[in-house]
Amino acid sequence: MSAYATALVEILFLDENNGYASGADSTGGIVLKTTDGGENWTKIFSSNITGEYVWKLQILASNSNVIFGSVEANAPNNGRMIRSLDAGANWISKEVPYTSVQAVGFLTETHGWMGGYTSTIGTNFPFMETQDGGETWTDAGVGGNLNRIFFLSNNLAYASGATVYKFSEGSLSNDSFTESTRVPLNVKILPNPVKDKLNIAIEFTSNDHIVLEIYDATGKFIKSLKVDTIEKAGIKNYSFDFPYASGAYLLNLHNDTGRQSVKFVK
């Protein structure tokens, strides 16, 4: 699949021949479509912002031509809901008031929910509900770190995140589960402002995985610095050449519990 994408995070098939996959390529978040069981793929959507991902897809149960997707962005940009009413031929995009949008689940063309990881340090991202196809969003009052929403019927759905959530009889709950808020990584950039080297110290509380990326102040992707496996708790130091112009930048960190950004300047 390297001919079609640099990263894939979702796959969704209607039958043995017709299906969709999503993730990212060098142009941004993408959706791919196949009609021959995966032998060939066509790109039917691109967010056109490098570093973004189309994280989840949903095909509406009552109409297989209606497809929803979640676009995970990078600070300071907000994530988006994308929707197609014609099996991917055309798309509309609606902004969601958080950055790391991942979960998407709709009952109808206009009524649904989205969720994701924390948007900034200490800020939880709850279920966001829309009744008007993404024109406006309200806090559903439950949830955090949402990754997937799975509908079994119009009256029953489950979601995974900080815990397991259940939708039934028109409401969302997590009555049977204990929920805990994500604790962000302790990250230090010294010195800040940086000079010719970007020096990063990250405190890990357990074994983990980490992806380090650099974006400019507008959220434009600059470079992937490191993909690392953390085998034990402790402080790990990184140092990278930083041959970029003076200005503000964002260090984006993605570990096993979520994403966060740290601002620094040169």
Side-chain angles (χ1 to χ4, degrees):
M1 294 292 289
S2 60
Y4 304 101
T6 56
L8 292 174
V9 290
E10 174 71 307
I11 188 166
L12 190 61
F13 269 71
L14 288 166
D15 53 45
E16 62 179 316
N17 291 315
N18 297 286
Y20 304 87
S22 70
D25 67 7
S26 60
T27 67
I30 60 169
V31 179
L32 305 172
K33 183 176 182 178
T34 181
T35 57
D36 56 11
E39 292 294 329
N40 298 281
W41 295 85
T42 300
K43 182 163 65 173
I44 59 174
F45 172 84
S46 176
S47 73
N48 294 316
I49 299 178
T50 304
E52 292 188 339
Y53 291 81
V54 177
W55 202 267
K56 288 291 183 289
L57 297 172
Q58 180 205 9
I59 297 173
L60 197 65
S62 59
N63 185 348
S64 61
N65 286 321
V66 179
I67 308 167
F68 292 92
S70 59
V71 179
E72 184 183 50
N74 292 287
N77 297 324
N78 282 337
R80 296 178 302 286
M81 177 212 76
I82 56 173
R83 181 179 68 225
S84 174
L85 304 179
D86 50 16
N90 297 281
W91 295 86
I92 64 166
S93 177
K94 299 293 182 180
E95 190 172 284
V96 182
Y98 287 91
T99 296
S100 296
V101 182
Q102 293 195 346
V104 60
F106 273 72
L107 280 173
T108 68
E109 292 180 13
T110 57
H111 183 200
W113 295 265
M114 299 189 76
Y117 287 113
T118 49
S119 57
T120 56
I121 294 176
T123 303
N124 193 37
F125 182 170
F127 270 101
M128 299 299 295
E129 183 175 12
T130 181
Q131 299 279 359
D132 54 15
E135 295 293 335
T136 59
W137 297 89
T138 58
D139 184 344
V142 62
N145 283 19
L146 275 300
N147 185 264
R148 183 182 291 278
I149 305 170
F150 184 75
F151 279 92
L152 294 170
S153 71
N154 286 344
N155 295 307
L156 181 61
Y158 289 91
S160 61
T163 182
V164 177
Y165 305 89
K166 182 179 181 180
F167 168 87
S168 61
E169 299 179 354
S171 63
L172 289 155
S173 69
N174 64 334
D175 295 340
S176 301
F177 305 94
T178 300
E179 182 174 349
S180 58
T181 302
R182 175 184 183 261
V183 178
L185 294 169
N186 183 11
V187 182
K188 294 182 179 179
I189 297 176
L190 295 173
N192 187 4
V194 304
K195 295 182 180 180
D196 58 338
K197 292 284 187 180
L198 174 61
N199 300 310
I200 307 164
I202 306 174
E203 183 178 358
F204 295 95
T205 58
S206 64
N207 60 304
D208 208 336
H209 300 85
I210 191 75
V211 178
L212 303 175
E213 297 174 327
I214 296 295
Y215 295 80
D216 70 13
T218 69
K220 180 181 178 181
F221 175 78
I222 295 177
K223 186 177 182 180
S224 177
L225 297 176
K226 184 76 173 181
V227 178
D228 202 7
T229 297
I230 310 304
E231 297 181 347
K232 61 181 180 180
I235 296 175
K236 189 156 187 181
N237 296 289
Y238 300 90
S239 184
F240 305 98
D241 291 334
F242 201 76
Y244 303 106
S246 298
Y249 295 88
L250 294 165
L251 171 66
N252 189 272
L253 306 97
H254 192 178
N255 75 327
D256 288 350
T257 64
R259 298 182 74 158
Q260 65 191 78
S261 294
V262 179
K263 187 176 180 178
F264 65 96
V265 295
K266 179 178 181 181

